[in-house]
Amino acid sequence: MSDIPLRSLKGRKFRYTRAAGYEQVSVEDDAPSALPQNESTGTTMAAAARAAIAATTNFNAQQKGKGRQTRHYTDVDPEEERGLLRDNEYIHGGDDDDDDEEEDEAKTLLSSKPCVRVVVASTADPGSQRGKRLAPPPSIIGKDKSRTIPFRPPDKLRNKFPANVVRNQKYNVFTFLPLVFYEQFKFFFNLYFLLVALSQFVPAFKIGFIVTYVAPLAFVLTVTMGKEAYDDWKRNQRDHEANSAKYLILEPSTTHLSHSLPPTRAVPSSRLKVGDLVVLEKNQRVPADLVLLRTSDTSGTCFVRTDQLDGETDWKLRVAVPSCQQLSDDRALLALDAEVYADPPIKDIHTFIGTFSMQASPTTSPEHPRDVPLQPKVEPLTAENVLWSNTVLAAGSAVGFVIYTGSETRAVMNTSHPETKAGLLDLEINRLAKILCAVTFALSVVLVALNGFRGAWYVYVCRFLILFSSIIPISLRVNLDMGKTVYASQIMNDSEIPNTIVRTSTLPEELGRIEYLLSDKTGTLTQNEMEMKKLHMGTMSYGFDSMDEVAHQLAMAFGNADQSTNKIQTGIQLATRGRRDMSARVRDVVTPVTNDDGTVTYQASSPDEVAIVQWTQSVGLTLVFRDRQKIELQSPAGTRLVFQVLEIFPFTSESKRMGIVVRDTKTREITFLQKGADVVMAKIVQRNDWLEEECANMAREGLRTLVMARKRLSEDSYQTFKAKYQEASISLENRNEAMGDVVQQHLEQNLELLGLTGVEDKLQDDVKSTLELLRNAGIKIWMLTGDKIETATCIAISTKLVARNQYIHQVAKLRTADEARNQLEFLQSKPDCCLVIDGDSLQLCLDLFKSEFIEITTKLSAVVACRCSPTQKADVARLIRHHTKKRVCCIGDGGNDVSMIQAADVGVGIVGKEGKQASLAADFSITQFSYLTKLLVWHGRNSYKRSAKLAQFVIHRGLIISVIQAVFSAIFYFAPIALYQGWLMVGYATVYTMAPVFSLVLDRDVNEDVALLYPELYKELTKGRALSYKTFFMWLMISVYQGGAIMIMSLLLFENEFLNIVAISFTALILNELIMVALEITIWHIYMVTSEIVTLLLYAVSMVFLPEYFDLTFVISVRFAWKVALIVAVSSLPLYIIKLIRSRVAPASSSKLM
């Protein structure tokens, strides 16, 4: 224990007192070592323990430096204390006056090492010991959520952590109505309708039928509430399914069970708690964040699928805790005296810091039965020892220890709750409604003022407000919602984009306003299927169509192993073997997996490695076995080549290379093989004149390049390296740098260049043409991916996201504010470049220069962000929305894209290999990226243009009748009396005008072929000119002119009876609206013609059934006909002439293409 630095206890002598069957050992603080025996074997263990503890201690020190302390979930409760200490009590003795001092010192000692528990007792006379128990350090209540969890923790400790419940619902029984009503009535548009409808229940304000005010609003609310309730019910069903999934947990059993099987109990996912030992089977979802203790594979490794977490379809290798993997079986875990320390939960799925501490078994000997201390075995835990929630165990079975549950899991922390989205068109109409309300109020006050504020003038103001309420027609909301339903139906029934689903029917118009497209890479732009396309050997280059020549040369090389072969054959043989060997590593390992049907597939953390291994198999050299100690290959001749794995140097984003040292078991030859990016390998390999040029050629083709090299090692040189490497690996400071320096000094010098491979990541169908078309449509495209910076750059080139000869500016590993500022200044001076930035640098820029970064980057034509977490993707989407006030569309296919999709104005999910999670969370679901073209350029265009025209026309319809009412009231002594009452008002908003006006949702200004051929037309839509203040005030003036003309002309032609003025003006109004619809239509549809004719006939027939409004003898007279015709001509003919002149003088850009 002296190897572990402990705080001096003021010279007091302490001893470890036996408890619960452990041996006690006297240890004085001035003793040179606690391990006098077996020193040679203990040195390495002690060094490893020191390293692990130092790593944890250093990290804790950093956390404390930030104002936080390590939190120990311990308590003075006796039952919990026994559970935490595994019955190893803190026994304390001594004089009474020393109790407090010693207790404080012991607490300090204990709290300084979170993962090592030390049992301390005084050397005072045993007779005077009182058996007093020291309380473990109390929990530090605060923000820090780090934890030390013992095996079999007490319930009081387990209950301190969140329940492992998945909850994606937006509402519950109590919040449903309040939240839905709030979402609806926070818009002034709806609130105005509500107030008008409620006013009709006050007798003094009542005008007309109550149903005409209440029914439309009730209809809209009922539809909205029904849809929200259904969507939330579906979310509840999915949550219930996830929460009720059964999992086996290991737990001690009192009943007699078979010794071959450990005792297990099935519990639902929602009942899992921190400290549970969960047994996972193949293809089972990981229910919480677990430390991997044991796997069914003897090597202690397993593969997991992380596509719903990070979007990558490659299998990831995870490694079990070595101490647990070495146990005889899973049952032994139940008797283990160990604990796990885990840092506070964070969002980063690539980072985890923790330790596994196990109390070593007591060692006794005849000579020293009680003199061997209890040395805890401490092992560091990293992200590769952890299974994150929502990943899936790909093969075998495993046992995990729950460390984070519920809201503290990485998956939940990277998920944002969906917001209720409102379209820009709805917000614009809401703003116009406020203007119309102000106009209505001003008009009401003016009319009352002109009457001299006589009598109960405030009642008259309210009655005028209700009379003019049709200025903001309640039918507008109904018409728009019905229009959105039509657009959604057209999208889903489009045969050219099959299986497209509209999940949010309130947003089709948004598709026509997109200015920024944020796309995932893997599975969205690419299929994530790799294929080896090129092999360059320096003297020879092989394309995809000449690989059979490689196979022939390889067969000759192995078939004539005893004869001298030419240089090319040897080169191919060694290069191929090199690629095979270098595919084997610890963290990103290619392993042959036998499927249930007997077929063998390769799995690895990087798909390009699988592609290379599959290629070597196709040319005759097959990987048949791989674990962490051995690799077996089969040559074309059928012989087995066996290599012993000596050292592995995994790939890191800093080193950009990976290496392996292997020994040929037959020849005993030791070889160091390395592969990596050309930028780093060029400095390591021997001088050559072709590598840089060939790498550039392959990069231009969008291929992922890997440089292969090797170095033969003698036994002496390897042993020298091994000693130095071992020394560096146990250093406490700058360990990684020290190990890297040793590798660089002893191995990475003057390597023999073997070859260069080019691997193609297959793109989704028509990705290049889709991105080009969207760019021409004025949409700026960002690619946000969790992949490496080199891979993302290759894909950006191959998808033509980056234009030919466009400068690509890479920003990576920014550490300081000055570096970030310099990069931003450079980007500001070069706005035509493509930016490629990694996640850490992106976060630094957002933290320090958020507004400047967004302002500069949003002007670039393309941006590629690599190593992005799901939260970063969502943050970028929100920042672009907030800063530019433009519409942002996000598209992705994995669970890691859900937050980004929900943060966008329009979220599009692709149903792909990564499941349906993104599709279910999105507003629109498609099956191919290329479908985005038609969705935006055609359906988006139509939805926006039609809704804008429909909205303005419905407002015009309400305005014109309000102007007629205002003129009538002004002439008839400012009386708040309705000109058109009862069924006339009901019919005006429904059967007399609704069908022709609603037929505008079928109008289109250009053909589909033209819209797709000239995507530049889309740019005009993003300017929002179809519905703006300019067009609104134009329609306002038209309404004032037409309403005034109809009312004044009707009064001039007044036939001495009030009934006739109603008949003349109302008939002229209906005909005027039908003509205005006809003037607005660009391309006629059969439904439009039908609706115009049928509506006219319905109006004519209704006159017969409404004798209280229409005098039939007058209506069928010639006088009525010519007067109505004259009024309609005065109101609509000037507008037709103006439209004709405009179409000749200043035609719309779309009409030029027709």
Side-chain angles (χ1 to χ4, degrees):
M1 290 298 292
S2 62
D3 289 322
I4 302 174
L6 300 175
R7 182 179 167 219
S8 171
L9 297 181
K10 299 184 181 179
R12 288 186 180 273
K13 296 181 179 180
F14 286 80
R15 66 177 181 178
Y16 290 87
T17 306
R18 184 171 62 184
Y22 287 136
E23 300 298 324
Q24 64 182 23
V25 170
S26 297
V27 181
E28 297 188 4
D29 63 338
D30 57 350
S33 172
L35 289 170
Q37 283 81 26
N38 204 11
E39 188 170 346
S40 61
T41 57
T43 304
T44 306
M45 278 185 66
R50 273 204 312 274
I53 293 167
T56 309
T57 308
N58 290 341
F59 181 82
N60 290 337
Q62 292 170 13
Q63 299 300 313
K64 290 174 184 176
K66 297 174 183 175
R68 297 184 298 193
Q69 289 182 320
T70 304
R71 180 177 179 180
H72 296 271
Y73 291 97
T74 51
D75 204 286
V76 294
D77 180 71
E79 179 189 352
E80 181 181 344
E81 188 180 76
R82 282 195 295 274
L84 281 170
L85 303 178
R86 282 299 161 269
D87 297 326
N88 304 335
E89 301 170 352
Y90 292 104
I91 300 174
H92 170 72
D95 297 331
D96 285 341
D97 53 339
D98 291 332
D99 284 355
D100 294 337
E101 184 184 19
E102 290 184 12
E103 183 171 326
D104 291 339
E105 290 170 349
K107 283 183 179 179
T108 305
L109 168 66
L110 292 167
S111 61
S112 68
K113 289 289 173 282
C115 298
V116 184
R117 300 206 179 271
V118 186
V119 184
V120 186
S122 171
T123 54
D125 179 24
S128 66
Q129 288 186 359
R130 297 175 177 83
K132 182 177 177 181
R133 183 179 297 147
L134 256 182
S139 298
I140 298 167
I141 307 302
K143 292 183 179 179
D144 185 39
K145 294 183 179 180
S146 60
R147 62 211 52 197
T148 302
I149 311 297
F151 276 47
R152 304 176 301 284
D155 288 339
K156 187 172 181 180
L157 171 62
R158 288 148 59 97
N159 292 335
K160 291 182 179 179
F161 304 105
N164 194 46
V165 177
V166 176
R167 192 177 191 281
N168 293 309
Q169 281 179 266
K170 289 170 66 176
Y171 314 104
N172 59 38
V173 176
F174 302 104
T175 61
F176 177 71
L177 286 176
L179 288 177
V180 170
F181 283 147
Y182 170 74
E183 290 294 339
Q184 293 303 308
F185 295 123
K186 72 179 181 181
F187 290 105
F188 175 81
F189 193 67
N190 293 342
L191 187 61
Y192 179 81
F193 294 153
L194 178 66
L195 295 175
V196 169
L198 293 175
S199 72
Q200 292 307 286
F201 292 96
V202 180
F205 299 153
K206 188 174 183 298
I207 297 175
F209 299 133
I210 290 178
V211 70
T212 60
Y213 296 94
V214 175
L217 182 63
F219 172 76
V220 169
L221 287 178
T222 303
V223 171
T224 303
M225 288 169 63
K227 184 177 181 301
E228 285 290 326
Y230 177 75
D231 289 346
D232 213 47
W233 177 74
K234 294 294 286 183
R235 280 192 285 266
N236 176 264
Q237 292 291 100
R238 291 196 292 269
D239 289 350
H240 178 72
E241 186 179 339
N243 288 326
S244 59
K246 292 293 179 64
Y247 289 88
L248 291 177
I249 61 171
L250 294 176
E251 60 176 25
S253 176
T254 54
T255 59
H256 180 71
L257 294 171
S258 167
H259 287 285
S260 60
L261 296 173
T264 57
R265 178 168 63 93
V267 296
S269 172
S270 58
R271 300 289 297 277
L272 290 175
K273 294 185 176 182
V274 169
D276 280 339
L277 295 169
V278 181
V279 181
L280 295 173
E281 299 297 335
K282 181 180 179 181
N283 293 327
Q284 203 170 14
R285 183 182 72 89
V286 180
D289 291 350
L290 316 173
V291 170
L292 181 60
L293 300 181
R294 286 177 55 81
T295 70
S296 56
D297 192 306
T298 53
S299 66
T301 61
C302 69
F303 283 106
V304 290
R305 296 197 295 270
T306 61
D307 46 16
Q308 295 302 325
L309 192 63
D310 61 9
E312 300 301 317
T313 54
D314 329 315
W315 290 11
K316 305 292 190 299
L317 188 79
R318 293 293 179 261
V319 181
V321 177
S323 300
C324 297
Q325 185 64 31
Q326 292 165 10
L327 298 175
S328 56
D329 56 20
D330 293 348
R331 179 189 291 273
L333 292 171
L334 295 171
L336 208 60
D337 183 12
E339 63 186 13
V340 174
Y341 167 77
D343 261 11
I346 57 173
K347 291 182 178 181
D348 189 356
I349 60 174
H350 303 293
T351 302
F352 175 74
I353 296 180
T355 54
F356 176 84
S357 306
M358 183 171 73
Q359 186 67 51
S361 300
T363 304
T364 59
S365 65
E367 296 83 5
H368 304 279
R370 305 166 77 84
D371 287 346
V372 180
L374 301 176
Q375 171 135 351
K377 185 176 182 181
V378 184
E379 296 176 86
L381 299 177
T382 64
E384 72 173 7
N385 303 115
V386 181
L387 305 179
W388 299 129
S389 172
N390 239 22
T391 57
V392 176
L393 190 65
S397 62
V399 179
F401 182 88
V402 179
I403 48 171
Y404 303 123
T405 52
S407 57
E408 293 183 340
T409 60
R410 296 294 201 269
V412 174
M413 293 182 79
N414 279 290
T415 303
S416 58
H417 287 286
E419 303 169 359
T420 302
K421 296 182 181 179
L424 183 59
L425 188 83
D426 293 332
L427 298 175
E428 290 169 342
I429 291 173
N430 194 53
R431 286 196 291 268
L432 296 180
K434 292 176 183 177
I435 297 173
L436 289 172
C437 183
V439 170
T440 305
F441 183 75
L443 189 59
S444 303
V445 173
V446 167
L447 288 174
V448 172
L450 291 173
N451 197 31
F453 292 104
R454 295 176 185 173
W457 59 270
Y458 49 87
V459 175
Y460 298 144
V461 170
C462 291
R463 284 180 64 86
F464 271 125
L465 278 171
I466 296 162
L467 270 177
F468 298 143
S469 65
S470 57
I471 287 180
I472 314 174
I474 200 164
S475 59
L476 174 57
R477 177 67 191 272
V478 180
N479 275 280
L480 286 175
D481 283 355
M482 289 172 60
K484 293 173 193 285
T485 305
V486 171
Y487 310 145
S489 175
Q490 290 175 336
I491 291 170
M492 290 193 284
N493 293 322
D494 191 332
S495 59
E496 293 184 12
I497 49 173
N499 301 317
T500 298
I501 301 171
V502 179
R503 300 195 187 277
T504 308
S505 58
T506 57
L507 297 175
E509 301 93 351
E510 294 294 277
L511 296 170
R513 312 285 293 275
I514 302 300
E515 291 195 49
Y516 289 91
L517 175 66
L518 275 55
S519 173
D520 179 38
K521 178 188 75 70
T522 308
T524 304
L525 298 177
T526 71
Q527 299 179 27
N528 209 36
E529 289 182 6
M530 307 294 174
E531 191 171 11
M532 177 92 159
K533 286 290 186 183
K534 280 196 172 182
L535 171 66
H536 200 287
M537 306 293 298
T539 54
M540 293 288 288
S541 179
Y542 297 94
F544 185 69
D545 53 352
S546 58
M547 292 302 181
D548 53 345
E549 175 65 19
V550 179
H552 174 66
Q553 296 281 6
L554 192 66
M556 287 181 61
F558 276 100
N560 301 292
D562 297 330
Q563 304 171 16
S564 68
T565 55
N566 62 50
K567 185 177 180 181
I568 295 175
Q569 293 166 350
T570 308
I572 294 170
Q573 174 186 342
L574 293 173
T576 311
R577 184 184 300 175
R579 279 186 296 281
R580 163 66 65 243
D581 292 346
M582 284 183 286
S583 297
R585 46 185 172 160
V586 170
R587 299 179 78 157
D588 304 294
V589 59
V590 179
T591 305
V593 177
T594 305
N595 299 320
D596 296 336
D597 57 1
T599 58
V600 175
T601 55
Y602 295 114
Q603 293 301 337
S605 296
S606 179
D608 54 349
E609 293 165 359
V610 175
I612 295 174
V613 172
Q614 287 172 338
W615 174 80
T616 57
Q617 182 182 18
S618 71
V619 297
L621 192 61
T622 307
L623 173 65
V624 292
F625 178 79
R626 166 72 173 86
D627 64 13
R628 301 175 76 188
Q629 287 83 35
K630 188 173 68 170
I631 302 172
E632 282 189 29
L633 314 177
Q634 184 170 304
S635 71
T639 57
R640 291 288 177 103
L641 307 173
V642 182
F643 296 90
Q644 179 188 356
V645 178
L646 301 179
E647 300 286 348
I648 297 173
F649 315 109
F651 177 90
T652 64
S653 55
E654 289 79 17
S655 67
K656 297 183 182 178
R657 59 189 182 272
M658 54 176 293
I660 185 170
V661 179
V662 294
R663 187 199 304 271
D664 189 329
T665 55
K666 186 177 180 181
T667 64
R668 309 302 294 171
E669 183 183 64
I670 300 175
T671 309
F672 168 61
L673 295 141
Q674 191 164 50
K675 74 168 186 178
D678 56 300
V679 288
V680 294
M681 294 296 290
K683 304 169 188 174
I684 299 171
V685 299
Q686 295 171 352
R687 186 183 181 89
N688 62 85
D689 57 358
W690 59 271
L691 180 60
E692 186 177 347
E693 182 183 352
E694 287 303 321
C695 285
N697 292 339
M698 289 188 186
R700 275 192 289 272
E701 297 176 36
L703 300 179
R704 298 157 68 127
T705 56
L706 281 173
V707 179
M708 311 290 180
R710 72 168 179 185
K711 183 176 186 177
R712 289 194 176 92
L713 301 175
S714 65
E715 187 68 38
D716 292 341
S717 60
Y718 170 67
Q719 291 301 333
T720 303
F721 158 77
K722 186 178 179 181
K724 293 282 186 183
Y725 193 69
Q726 176 68 19
E727 184 182 334
S729 68
I730 60 174
S731 61
L732 298 181
E733 294 182 0
N734 302 322
R735 185 191 307 171
N736 291 338
E737 291 83 350
M739 292 163 70
D741 290 342
V742 172
V743 173
Q744 191 173 356
Q745 182 181 347
H746 290 267
L747 301 181
E748 294 178 343
Q749 298 286 338
N750 208 27
L751 268 63
E752 177 188 350
L753 178 59
L754 295 177
L756 174 68
T757 61
V759 175
E760 179 188 51
D761 189 352
K762 291 182 182 176
L763 303 178
Q764 294 276 4
D765 295 338
D766 302 321
V767 160
K768 293 181 184 179
S769 56
T770 301
L771 289 178
E772 183 180 6
L773 189 146
L774 294 175
R775 238 194 346 262
N776 291 338
I779 297 174
K780 292 183 172 66
I781 302 166
W782 288 41
M783 184 170 81
L784 309 179
T785 175
D787 215 332
K788 301 189 290 285
I789 199 166
E790 297 81 14
T791 307
T793 305
C794 284
I795 297 302
I797 295 168
S798 60
T799 56
K800 300 293 186 277
L801 179 66
V802 179
R804 183 178 288 274
N805 297 325
Q806 183 179 6
Y807 173 67
I808 299 174
H809 184 63
Q810 289 191 352
V811 176
K813 304 290 180 296
L814 294 186
R815 293 287 181 267
T816 64
D818 289 338
E819 290 176 355
R821 189 183 296 107
N822 293 338
Q823 294 292 348
L824 290 175
E825 288 173 357
F826 176 83
L827 289 170
Q828 200 167 14
S829 66
K830 204 167 180 64
D832 57 339
C833 74
C834 168
L835 171 65
V836 180
I837 185 168
D838 68 347
D840 293 339
S841 304
L842 173 66
Q843 196 60 51
L844 183 71
C845 292
L846 293 180
D847 290 342
L848 300 177
F849 308 104
K850 181 185 294 183
S851 56
E852 294 90 340
F853 176 78
I854 291 294
E855 185 175 354
I856 293 169
T857 53
T858 48
K859 294 174 183 175
L860 302 176
S861 61
V863 176
V864 178
C866 315
R867 291 295 184 197
C868 281
S869 68
T871 311
Q872 276 182 320
K873 292 183 178 183
D875 289 343
V876 169
R878 290 191 193 96
L879 281 169
I880 296 175
R881 283 177 60 191
H882 177 74
H883 178 79
T884 64
K885 308 298 182 189
K886 306 293 185 185
R887 299 289 97 179
V888 175
C889 174
C890 292
I891 181 169
D893 70 319
N896 66 310
D897 301 316
V898 169
S899 295
M900 173 179 75
I901 286 170
Q902 291 175 341
D905 294 297
V906 178
V908 181
I910 296 181
V911 181
K913 293 179 180 178
E914 299 184 25
K916 293 187 176 181
Q917 196 168 344
S919 165
L920 291 170
D923 305 308
F924 300 88
S925 170
I926 58 178
T927 54
Q928 285 188 35
F929 182 81
S930 57
Y931 291 173
L932 201 60
T933 301
K934 195 171 185 187
L935 198 63
L936 299 184
V937 176
W938 175 242
H939 290 293
R941 176 186 189 81
N942 287 340
S943 300
Y944 171 58
K945 297 279 280 188
R946 291 165 176 175
S947 279
K949 188 178 285 187
L950 178 65
Q952 292 178 132
F953 209 94
V954 173
I955 290 173
H956 158 74
R957 187 178 67 182
L959 271 170
I960 191 171
I961 199 170
S962 298
V963 171
I964 290 172
Q965 176 67 54
V967 173
F968 171 78
S969 296
I971 290 172
F972 286 91
Y973 312 106
F974 306 104
I977 300 169
L979 172 60
Y980 308 125
Q981 297 182 5
W983 291 110
L984 288 185
M985 285 302 293
V986 174
Y988 179 70
T990 55
V991 293
Y992 297 154
T993 59
M994 188 167 181
V997 170
F998 189 68
S999 70
L1000 291 171
V1001 300
L1002 300 173
D1003 190 23
R1004 50 193 172 90
D1005 58 345
V1006 294
N1007 292 321
E1008 181 182 331
D1009 295 339
V1010 173
L1012 295 171
L1013 188 61
Y1014 298 101
E1016 291 78 10
L1017 291 172
Y1018 188 87
K1019 289 181 184 178
E1020 289 188 2
L1021 305 181
T1022 58
K1023 297 172 183 174
R1025 291 175 178 170
L1027 178 64
S1028 61
Y1029 288 122
K1030 179 182 176 182
T1031 59
F1032 168 71
F1033 283 111
M1034 283 173 59
W1035 278 100
L1036 181 63
M1037 298 308 296
I1038 289 171
S1039 302
V1040 171
Y1041 166 72
Q1042 290 187 330
I1046 290 171
M1047 194 65 236
I1048 292 168
M1049 290 290 291
S1050 299
L1051 289 170
L1052 290 174
L1053 303 172
F1054 186 37
E1055 292 286 339
N1056 300 323
E1057 292 179 11
F1058 182 75
L1059 182 64
N1060 290 346
I1061 192 173
V1062 171
I1064 292 172
S1065 61
F1066 195 75
T1067 304
L1069 176 63
I1070 297 299
L1071 291 174
N1072 181 79
E1073 288 304 283
L1074 295 177
I1075 291 170
M1076 286 298 292
V1077 170
L1079 289 176
E1080 281 301 304
I1081 291 171
T1082 310
I1083 299 175
W1084 283 85
H1085 188 278
I1086 186 65
Y1087 174 77
M1088 297 173 178
V1089 179
T1090 306
S1091 64
E1092 292 266 326
I1093 297 171
V1094 171
T1095 300
L1096 193 57
L1097 291 175
L1098 276 172
Y1099 178 68
V1101 171
S1102 68
M1103 289 181 178
V1104 179
F1105 297 98
L1106 297 171
E1108 66 269 31
Y1109 303 114
F1110 301 102
D1111 181 357
L1112 286 179
T1113 56
F1114 175 68
V1115 167
I1116 60 175
S1117 67
V1118 176
R1119 286 177 304 142
F1120 177 78
W1122 75 260
K1123 287 179 180 180
V1124 169
L1126 180 61
I1127 293 171
V1128 171
V1130 171
S1131 68
S1132 58
L1133 190 60
L1135 295 175
Y1136 173 73
I1137 295 169
I1138 291 171
K1139 182 180 178 182
L1140 204 62
I1141 294 171
R1142 283 188 63 188
S1143 65
R1144 297 287 185 272
V1145 177
S1149 55
S1150 58
S1151 64
K1152 299 174 188 175
L1153 303 172
M1154 295 296 287

